[in-house]
Amino acid sequence: MNARLPLPARPRIVVGISGASGFVYGVRLLELLRELDVETHLVVTRSALLTMAHETDYKMSDVVALASYHHRSDDMAAGIASGSFRALGMIVAPCSMKTLAEVANGTSSTLLTRAADVTLKERRPLVLLARETPLTLVHLRNMQAVTEMGGIIAPPVPAFYARPETLSDMVDHTLGRVLDLFGLDAGTALRWGEAARAPRARVDHSPTEKEIV
């Protein structure tokens, strides 16, 4: 039996952004991974572009600039579509219920869900920040199916013991806990029993008055 090939010297993570509410999770994840010097391979679905336009002032060029590599969602020949592509794993932030359903049932209509399928079959960590509420029985069954295959369902639920003061605090804490699953410490998660740290320098993703209206 052949030994598993070593990972690249610089760690890699595949980042997917799908069309659920919470586009900022994907953007902030790219920022944190860049700070940690992790090579990122980004794929964004077409539905996510609509969410980006509704929820943020970002342009796609701004998001692509944060990633090491960007792959079109229809490019099924991209490296991340193959199990031979070496990576620590994949994070989908946020994960829509359509994306969850495709992953749960192995029906890959985009590069994002193909890369997720590859991550599962290669037994690498796949973390889905599933964003929907209330949940139907179909949603719950799809979450169960992904979990049984080894994936991790991590809804972006705020931790109020961290006493968040802004949306950025909530986003950072959630993503800090997600990166813990890969052995990466972003320094953004207040751990139980720790004293609050001084605020980090970061982009404030709290909604503007224009966005609230």
Side-chain angles (χ1 to χ4, degrees):
M1 183 174 181
N2 294 331
R4 296 180 71 87
L5 294 174
L7 286 169
R10 186 185 181 197
R12 293 172 174 169
I13 288 183
V14 179
V15 175
I17 303 179
S18 67
S21 180
F23 190 88
V24 68
Y25 284 104
V27 175
R28 184 57 177 149
L29 177 61
L30 291 170
E31 292 174 345
L32 292 174
L33 289 171
R34 172 181 272 193
E35 291 176 14
L36 292 168
D37 195 30
V38 173
E39 181 181 301
T40 51
H41 287 255
L42 172 67
V43 56
V44 181
T45 66
R46 292 178 62 182
S47 295
L49 298 179
L50 297 176
T51 306
M52 177 183 70
H54 280 289
E55 296 185 348
T56 78
D57 293 324
Y58 290 114
K59 294 180 173 57
M60 189 56 186
S61 58
D62 301 323
V63 181
V64 169
L66 294 172
S68 306
Y69 298 92
H70 169 243
H71 308 277
R72 296 192 325 270
S73 64
D74 62 349
D75 183 9
M76 302 300 276
I80 61 174
S82 170
S84 64
F85 182 85
R86 302 291 287 168
L88 292 178
M90 180 175 181
I91 303 169
V92 182
C95 178
S96 68
M97 292 300 100
K98 179 179 185 295
T99 295
L100 170 68
E102 288 198 12
V103 175
N105 293 280
T107 54
S108 303
S109 67
T110 69
L111 177 60
L112 190 156
T113 48
R114 169 57 186 169
D117 188 54
V118 163
T119 301
L120 288 175
K121 82 180 183 68
E122 297 296 325
R123 306 301 190 266
R124 299 169 188 152
L126 171 67
V127 182
L128 306 181
L129 273 70
R131 243 299 291 132
E132 185 63 275
T133 190
L135 297 169
T136 70
L137 183 57
V138 170
H139 300 154
L140 293 169
R141 285 176 172 163
N142 285 337
M143 291 181 185
Q144 179 180 350
V146 170
T147 302
E148 289 174 342
M149 288 187 284
I152 300 172
I153 306 298
V157 179
F160 289 104
Y161 68 81
R163 300 205 175 184
E165 296 181 355
T166 66
L167 289 181
S168 290
D169 291 338
M170 295 182 188
V171 169
D172 277 7
H173 183 89
T174 293
L175 294 177
R177 295 289 289 116
V178 166
L179 291 175
D180 279 350
L181 298 171
F182 293 83
L184 299 170
D185 187 358
T188 61
L190 181 64
R191 305 183 190 286
W192 183 257
E194 288 184 349
R197 292 183 292 269
R200 289 166 51 90
R202 62 179 182 270
V203 177
D204 187 356
H205 298 296
S206 300
T208 63
E209 181 178 348
K210 177 182 177 181
E211 291 170 333
I212 294 173
V213 173

